[in-house]
Amino acid sequence: MVPIIIIASILFGLSVVARQPDHVSILMPAPFADSTVDLVKSFNQQHHGRIHLNVIRGPLETEAISDLAISSLLLGDTPFDGLLMDVTWVPKYAKAGWLESLDNYFSNNEVSALASGASEGNHYQGSLLRWPLTADIGLLYWRTDLMDQPPRTPQELERISQKLQSSGRVPYGYVWQGRQYEGLSCVFLEVIDGFGGEWFSAESGQIGLDKPAGLAAAQWLDGLIQRGVSPRAVTNFSESEALQSFKSGQAAFMRNWPYAWAELQKNDSQVKNKIAITTMVAQTGHQPAATLGSWGLSLLRGSAHPESTVEAFKFLTSEESQRYLYSQYGYTPTQKAIFNDQDLLKKHPSLQSIGEALAYARSRPETPVYAQVSDVLQRKLSGTLTGMTSPTAGMQQAEQSTIQVLEAAGAAP
Amino acid sequence: MPLTLLLLPSLIFLIAVFALPLIRYVWLSFHADSVMTGLLAIPNQGANWQRFIHDSRYWQDLFQTLRFAFVSVTAEVVLGFIIALILNQPLRKRALIRSSSLIPWALPTTVMALGWRWIFNTPYGPIDRLIQSGLGRPLNALGEPSIAWITTVYADIWKTTPFVALILLAGLQTIPSDLYEAAKLEGAGPWICLRRITVPLLLPYLGLALMFRLAQAFGVFDLVQVMTGGGPASSTESIALYAYWNALRFLDFGYSATIMIGSFVILSSLIVIAWVVISLARNRSAGAFAK
């Protein structure tokens, strides 16, 4: 009797082991984890018994989630299978050897179905390392109750602002992100490109800060504060402060990401139904630029279930999921087809402007030492905006420090 | 069995948690170990140290960290001493007052730093509102390099003065009251009592408070990280923040180790100097007391 029980229980145990689903875990920043709860639920229903997806709710801030991911990756075996990554992390994580290539999991057709802009920033040195969940781009928000047409050039933006300010219709013209942090680099990238320059090219190693366009960009941003178009406090503004200021009707223009749209259309907003979006201003003869800030899913090296993880990626980024995430949470879709969806366009007219702006998406420099390069720019630009240095001196120092950083890291081409 | 042998277990423990990481850091500071080397340590013949000596950002951060530490700790000791004297008086509801004065210290630093960030916020914070209605222009405290560091000092004083007060209060309670009575019989006023009895007998506790606070203030990290992120124009960046950025953001562990070891040497020599000065002062005042 006893041996039979033992054998039976061993067999039962084995069958339980055999039926164990693959446990896949993905680390995401808190807002993304919250908005994908329903998607994860339906994924787990559809894959019941085969794959169990568990999204780990990380911290709220971009840098905090990177710190958390890096701390665990440094210790060796990754506790996660997938990571939702900001676009600027890709080269660094790739170079550190933490990412698994996705080339074998996504076909060329799937890649070419991505909207232009959304397809950028997913590759490093030719291999696909990240699959985009949402595209994010810098936009210029403007007030339809104060003007008929948005400005197209930096000079126009200033002129309109000053006119509106002197007639007392708004206390400030333009609010943006001037705090010493990553947002400042995003703002600067759009302005320097709009003046026809380039911040830093990872391929050629060219730095464009101490060049006419770089100087013009720094001078323009500094001038906005000097001439009162932007409040002095902009030197400590991140996205949320700019949004609050614009939302309470304090400014005619704001630079922000697509998420701000939904916030501005809430009932407590002073500018509800009085806003529109367009691309950032650019000097005549130059194309406007929209900083790409997309989030995407990466497979971490050492994952025990790469196939199942990619299956979860495909589910979370499917057309249907993107439609859901856009209409529920305003996440910018990454697939071309969705921008042509007439039903969706009718319900959300702003989708068209976002689609148009996406065509002007520009990546920040794609280098493993991006964090250093951006840090140098933020410090020097913050020094200029707070009156510590002149724009010219600030950009000269920024260019010098960038060269030093690249040399010290051994990343100078 | 020699008694020193009994110390062996704790010595081994100390070596494991203190000396080994330190030795590892020294070793690492002579290697390139960054994202560009694929996180492998490659000897680089002291290039990290060359860079360290010429790194103007580091020296700026060192100055800022020392400034932060000295200004905030000085203020904390002065205020903490006054608060300890008050709390040592026979007040009504003394237990309640004593424990409620500890609230700032009991709060997690990140929480209170976030609070101060909003209090000093321009244009929505209450302090800025007040100043704007008085001066007619916003203070923009967190956006001006010349004053942003003062707000971090202010927040630190608010938080850690109770800690200093607590240590000094413990010290005050060890002073026998008959000393004061004897002095009073000799005709000494409160000022003489304070100078000749309270301060000299409190010196060991003062030294203790200074040691704790200076060590903590030199390593200030969370407060600055949350309140200003090191900005504006890096005017509030501390050494710990810079080292942390190098390690976790830039993935440059070789240079981060160099910063840590460099700072360790500089700061421990400063603490040794301070310790010597304090012991000399203590001996002198002890001598004065004996007379």
Side-chain angles (χ1 to χ4, degrees):
Chain A
M1 189 61 196
V2 172
I4 293 173
I5 291 174
I6 291 174
I7 289 170
S9 55
I10 287 174
L11 283 177
F12 181 73
L14 280 177
S15 69
V16 167
V17 168
R19 275 196 277 125
Q20 273 288 322
D22 286 356
H23 279 274
V24 168
S25 64
I26 304 178
L27 175 66
M28 294 189 189
F32 290 97
D34 293 340
S35 47
T36 50
V37 166
D38 288 338
L39 290 177
V40 171
K41 225 177 262 168
S42 54
F43 177 85
N44 282 335
Q45 267 160 16
Q46 281 179 30
H47 298 77
H48 183 74
R50 212 159 63 71
I51 308 173
H52 183 84
L53 173 61
N54 180 26
V55 165
I56 296 157
R57 192 174 184 275
L60 182 82
E61 277 186 23
T62 306
E63 294 309 326
I65 192 108
S66 173
D67 293 351
L68 175 67
I70 286 177
S71 323
S72 48
L73 286 165
L74 282 170
L75 294 175
D77 277 347
T78 160
F80 321 110
D81 299 284
L83 174 65
L84 187 61
M85 301 227 303
D86 182 56
V87 62
T88 59
W89 306 348
V90 177
K92 180 164 77 180
Y93 281 60
K95 190 87 183 170
W98 292 331
L99 303 184
E100 203 67 70
S101 165
L102 295 172
D103 285 323
N104 295 330
Y105 300 105
F106 289 90
S107 69
N108 283 338
N109 283 342
E110 283 171 293
V111 174
S112 55
L114 292 174
S116 70
S119 56
E120 277 188 50
N122 303 315
H123 290 79
Y124 183 69
Q125 293 181 335
S127 81
L128 179 68
L129 295 168
R130 189 184 79 134
W131 192 252
L133 175 75
T134 172
D136 226 0
I137 35 165
L139 298 166
L140 182 66
Y141 286 75
W142 57 284
R143 294 269 297 273
T144 51
D145 58 328
L146 299 176
M147 67 203 86
D148 300 325
Q149 288 291 320
R152 293 308 341 140
T153 65
Q155 295 77 10
E156 260 175 46
L157 185 145
E158 249 190 280
R159 210 166 45 234
I160 297 174
S161 294
Q162 281 170 335
K163 220 174 91 190
L164 288 168
Q165 282 175 276
S166 57
S167 63
R169 299 192 64 183
V170 275
Y172 292 108
Y174 177 36
V175 288
W176 39 285
Q177 293 85 48
R179 185 180 162 90
Q180 183 188 332
Y181 82 121
E182 187 54 32
L184 181 57
S185 293
C186 296
V187 166
F188 186 78
L189 179 86
E190 285 158 9
V191 181
I192 190 173
D193 281 32
F195 277 96
E198 185 175 18
W199 167 11
F200 171 65
S201 156
E203 292 86 51
S204 67
Q206 289 285 320
I207 304 166
L209 298 174
D210 191 16
K211 303 282 180 316
L215 297 174
Q219 272 157 1
W220 186 65
L221 287 173
D222 182 46
L224 288 175
I225 300 173
Q226 300 294 334
R227 293 189 282 276
V229 172
S230 300
R232 277 228 89 84
V234 91
T235 53
N236 198 40
F237 271 19
S238 64
E239 282 89 356
S240 54
E241 284 92 356
L243 180 63
Q244 281 209 35
S245 178
F246 190 70
K247 192 176 172 181
S248 55
Q250 301 263 309
F253 304 104
M254 170 181 70
R255 187 253 174 225
N256 216 319
W257 307 94
Y259 85 96
W261 181 270
E263 277 299 313
L264 294 168
Q265 297 296 9
K266 284 188 178 160
N267 281 330
D268 63 338
S269 163
Q270 302 287 316
V271 296
K272 190 183 176 187
N273 297 328
K274 295 181 197 162
I275 51 161
I277 46 181
T278 181
T279 46
M280 187 48 58
V281 292
Q283 198 69 289
T284 325
H286 294 296
Q287 284 212 333
T291 302
L292 184 70
S294 70
W295 287 87
L297 293 156
S298 287
L299 179 60
L300 295 174
R301 184 159 291 172
S303 156
H305 314 290
E307 277 87 12
S308 302
T309 309
V310 173
E311 208 168 323
F313 288 179
K314 292 202 175 189
F315 184 89
L316 292 172
T317 58
S318 70
E319 252 188 69
E320 203 185 333
S321 300
Q322 294 212 340
R323 218 170 257 124
Y324 165 80
L325 287 173
Y326 175 68
S327 42
Q328 292 294 313
Y329 299 98
Y331 286 7
T332 308
T334 61
Q335 309 211 357
K336 265 184 215 154
I338 297 182
F339 289 99
N340 300 325
D341 185 327
Q342 293 306 320
D343 287 347
L344 210 58
L345 281 171
K346 223 173 271 167
K347 256 190 270 170
H348 306 279
S350 67
L351 184 61
Q352 191 174 354
S353 315
I354 293 176
E356 282 162 13
L358 198 55
Y360 295 104
R362 287 297 310 265
S363 291
R364 284 162 274 175
E366 292 177 19
T367 158
V369 292
Y370 173 73
Q372 285 98 310
V373 171
S374 175
D375 177 59
V376 162
L377 177 68
Q378 291 161 31
R379 294 176 64 225
K380 297 300 174 185
L381 206 52
S382 173
T384 295
L385 298 177
T386 52
M388 305 269 285
T389 55
S390 69
T392 322
M395 285 296 106
Q396 267 168 5
Q397 289 170 15
E399 177 145 341
Q400 284 312 312
S401 302
T402 307
I403 294 170
Q404 281 166 10
V405 157
L406 293 173
E407 276 172 358
Chain B
M1 191 170 66
L3 275 176
T4 43
L5 218 62
L6 291 172
L7 288 173
L8 215 59
S10 49
L11 198 68
I12 292 170
F13 183 72
L14 269 181
I15 288 172
V17 300
F18 191 67
L20 285 184
L22 215 60
I23 292 166
R24 158 94 183 153
Y25 268 36
V26 172
W27 179 84
L28 208 53
S29 75
F30 288 95
H31 289 73
D33 181 352
S34 73
V35 64
M36 298 309 287
T37 66
L39 302 182
L40 297 172
I42 297 166
N44 67 353
Q45 290 85 37
N48 289 333
W49 287 101
Q50 283 270 339
R51 180 176 164 200
F52 177 73
I53 289 163
H54 296 110
D55 188 353
S56 59
R57 178 171 180 179
Y58 174 79
W59 299 107
Q60 188 195 328
D61 288 352
L62 179 68
F63 164 73
Q64 284 165 188
T65 310
L66 292 177
R67 179 178 67 182
F68 172 87
F70 285 126
V71 176
S72 59
V73 172
T74 307
E76 281 156 21
V77 166
V78 172
L79 287 173
F81 183 53
I82 294 170
I83 292 173
L85 285 177
I86 294 170
L87 292 180
N88 201 32
Q89 301 304 312
L91 300 166
R92 274 202 301 155
K93 303 238 163 94
R94 186 161 75 168
L96 185 75
I97 296 171
R98 275 187 187 174
S99 39
S100 58
S101 74
L102 273 174
I103 289 175
W105 185 54
L107 280 177
T109 311
T110 42
V111 173
M112 73 98 194
L114 209 58
W116 285 110
R117 181 173 159 185
W118 278 106
I119 292 169
F120 282 114
N121 177 282
T122 310
Y124 300 105
I127 288 190
D128 213 75
R129 279 279 160 90
L130 262 175
I131 286 173
Q132 183 147 23
S133 58
L135 288 179
R137 60 179 282 273
L139 178 66
N140 196 15
L142 295 174
E144 289 289 342
S146 51
I147 39 179
W149 73 275
I150 300 173
T151 65
T152 59
V153 167
Y154 184 85
D156 193 65
I157 293 172
W158 182 82
K159 179 170 165 58
T160 26
T161 302
F163 172 73
V164 177
L166 189 72
I167 293 183
L168 296 185
L169 181 63
L172 284 177
Q173 287 175 348
T174 62
I175 302 177
S177 57
D178 42 352
L179 278 180
Y180 293 104
E181 282 158 21
K184 264 185 207 149
L185 284 178
E186 300 284 334
W191 177 243
I192 301 277
C193 285
L194 186 74
R195 260 192 52 203
R196 288 290 171 86
I197 302 172
T198 314
V199 174
L201 288 178
L202 212 54
L203 269 183
Y205 295 88
L206 216 60
L208 190 71
L210 273 177
M211 274 267 284
F212 271 125
R213 281 303 306 133
L214 281 177
Q216 228 170 26
F218 285 140
V220 63
F221 172 78
D222 39 6
L223 173 75
V224 177
Q225 164 82 336
V226 175
M227 249 182 105
T228 62
S234 290
S235 60
T236 55
E237 189 172 87
S238 67
I239 295 171
L241 201 59
Y242 186 38
Y244 167 82
W245 277 61
N246 269 288
L248 274 165
R249 299 271 158 90
F250 306 163
L251 294 182
D252 190 344
F253 297 98
Y255 192 55
S256 185
T258 314
I259 294 173
M260 293 310 243
I261 294 298
S263 308
F264 175 73
V265 171
I266 294 170
L267 295 181
S268 43
S269 32
L270 280 177
I271 287 188
V272 166
I273 292 170
W275 190 244
V276 168
V277 170
I278 288 171
S279 342
L280 281 179
R282 195 197 301 174
N283 287 343
R284 254 183 49 200
S285 57
F289 184 68
K291 271 180 220 160

